[in-house]
Amino acid sequence: MRLALARARRGSGRTFPNPSVGAVVYRGDRVLGRGVTRPPGGAHAEIVALDSAARKVGAGRLRGASLAVTLEPCSHHGRTGPCADAAIRAGIADVVVGHLDPHPEVRGRGVRRLRRAGVEVRVGVLEAACREQHRGFLSVCERGRPFVTLKLAGTLDGRIATAGGESRWITGPRARAAVHRLRARSDGILVGTATALADDPELSARRGGRVLHRPVRVLLDARLRVPLEAKLYRGDAAQTWVLCAPGSPASRRRTREESGARILEVPRVGSGGGQGGGLDLSRALRALAREGLTELLVEGGGRLAASLLAAGLVDEVHWFVAPTMIGEDGRAALGPLGVERLSRAVTLEDVRVRRHGHDVEVIGRPVGRGAAVKRRARQVVKKR
């Protein structure tokens, strides 16, 4: 299963709306074949592993072999045939599953089909690690929105730029490399209008100057103010999705659609809200999930980050801290949260700390007010 997980991680960010699943065909301690989910329209991990094993040792020698897979094999016809049936036809005798698939078209049916065919099935091997690998897919199935990771980078006193706007580079090269690794596992990267106008980001995952992955570039731009000359609209514009408000200027919308960008209309929040470009962030995330995104990395700006945290829409925080101080006149890394009592502060649990040269990365998952909102959301899902 560890080998299957390692294979699954290679496909992260490249298989949505499907999860990146890993599979290994083996006999005893000998690995016969490995596979990872192909991009949409391609084969699932189990098929890739079975085909690899058949090429290596011959299809006839797969009878009686075992299969480890990070997610329950599917049992329905979609773009590809049922993986459970493929394992049965190959003569697989034993299947080890990381965890069951919560998708309505599966939900234990793959395991039942295998067992009815006489295949021994074990479920729950390294389940926590497998669920973590598939966290975006699980989030969409269970909550109707992507798994949201918030990345922030600032000084010891919580500033992201000087009063004059200088911000490159607060953190060092090792910390920036870690950010690119975060990007590499993401389906999409979200920024707001202010960040797009101030930084003109490219939002690709790079290493040594080479582009490794181009996640979907998601721009929250209620009035479509970011110009077409921005880097977000360069290259493959179809990889740019823009969330805008109803009634945004028709001419701007038309030119952006003509460039190849996708425009997704999202309602505004009520009169009591207004942060995050004035758009309803919960509905924005649900719209992205409907379009297939499962893992979303949020990179700016400070008001957007605060709005997501206040609404309980952040699942994991990665805060990179540089050992420098700018002072009160610098620009804050995080916008207003409206916290009047410490008991209402957004705090993190399961905290981990990593060193990247002179910089520190603090990783954790929000609790408190955000967790309460998420608990209520899970209760609503269960009731439905």
Side-chain angles (χ1 to χ4, degrees), residues 72-223:
E72 175 185 8
C74 64
S75 56
H76 63 285
H77 287 271
R79 292 176 174 175
T80 61
C83 294
D85 288 359
I88 294 167
R89 287 195 303 272
I92 295 296
D94 173 51
V95 176
V96 179
V97 176
H99 66 91
L100 296 178
D101 188 335
H103 193 280
E105 293 184 328
V106 186
R107 285 186 179 170
R109 294 184 181 91
V111 167
R112 290 195 295 271
R113 183 173 294 193
L114 289 166
R115 285 174 173 161
R116 284 197 300 267
V119 179
E120 181 181 345
V121 182
R122 287 172 286 168
V123 179
V125 176
L126 296 184
E127 181 170 0
C130 291
R131 292 184 68 87
E132 177 67 13
Q133 167 61 26
H134 305 138
R135 63 190 189 179
F137 174 72
L138 294 173
S139 179
V140 171
C141 288
E142 297 168 358
R143 301 182 297 178
R145 68 165 178 82
F147 186 96
V148 176
T149 299
L150 174 63
K151 183 233 91 180
L152 295 162
T155 61
L156 277 174
D157 53 350
R159 305 291 151 174
I160 58 171
T162 64
E166 184 183 355
S167 62
R168 295 188 178 183
W169 296 98
I170 286 179
T171 55
R174 293 186 184 180
R176 295 198 297 274
V179 172
H180 282 278
R181 289 193 292 272
L182 280 177
R183 290 179 176 184
R185 74 158 291 162
S186 302
D187 300 342
I189 305 174
L190 172 66
V191 296
T193 305
T195 297
L197 291 173
D199 298 340
D200 192 21
E202 180 183 334
L203 302 184
S204 61
R206 303 182 298 278
R207 185 173 61 203
R210 184 168 62 93
V211 175
L212 302 178
H213 177 45
R214 294 188 184 276
V216 174
R217 300 168 294 196
V218 184
L219 172 62
L220 195 72
D221 190 9
R223 297 288 295 167

Side-chain angles (χ1 to χ4, degrees), residues 18-106:
N18 297 326
S20 181
V21 175
V24 173
V25 179
Y26 63 99
R27 186 188 299 275
D29 60 358
R30 183 187 179 194
V31 172
L32 305 181
R34 311 181 197 205
V36 62
T37 306
R38 299 300 191 209
H44 289 184
E46 300 94 317
I47 306 300
V48 177
L50 288 167
D51 287 347
S52 172
R55 288 193 300 271
K56 183 176 180 180
V57 300
R61 299 190 65 183
L62 298 188
R63 303 197 68 82
S66 301
L67 170 68
V69 59
T70 57
L71 181 67
E72 175 185 8
C74 64
S75 56
H76 63 285
H77 287 271
R79 292 176 174 175
T80 61
C83 294
D85 288 359
I88 294 167
R89 287 195 303 272
I92 295 296
D94 173 51
V95 176
V96 179
V97 176
H99 66 91
L100 296 178
D101 188 335
H103 193 280
E105 293 184 328
V106 186

Side-chain angles (χ1 to χ4, degrees), residues 1-2 7 17 29 43 45 59-60 74 108 123 173 199-200 203 211 214 240 247 252 264 289 325 335 346 369 380:
M1 187 61 76
R2 289 189 178 91
R7 187 64 53 160
D29 60 358
C74 64
V123 179
D199 298 340
D200 192 21
L203 302 184
V211 175
R214 294 188 184 276
T240 300
R252 296 180 189 175
L264 303 177
M325 291 171 278
V346 176
R369 176 171 46 179
V380 170

Side-chain angles (χ1 to χ4, degrees), residues 355-373:
R355 287 285 300 272
H356 303 287
H358 295 297
D359 304 319
V360 173
E361 177 188 9
V362 179
I363 308 164
R365 300 199 169 180
V367 294
R369 176 171 46 179
V373 172

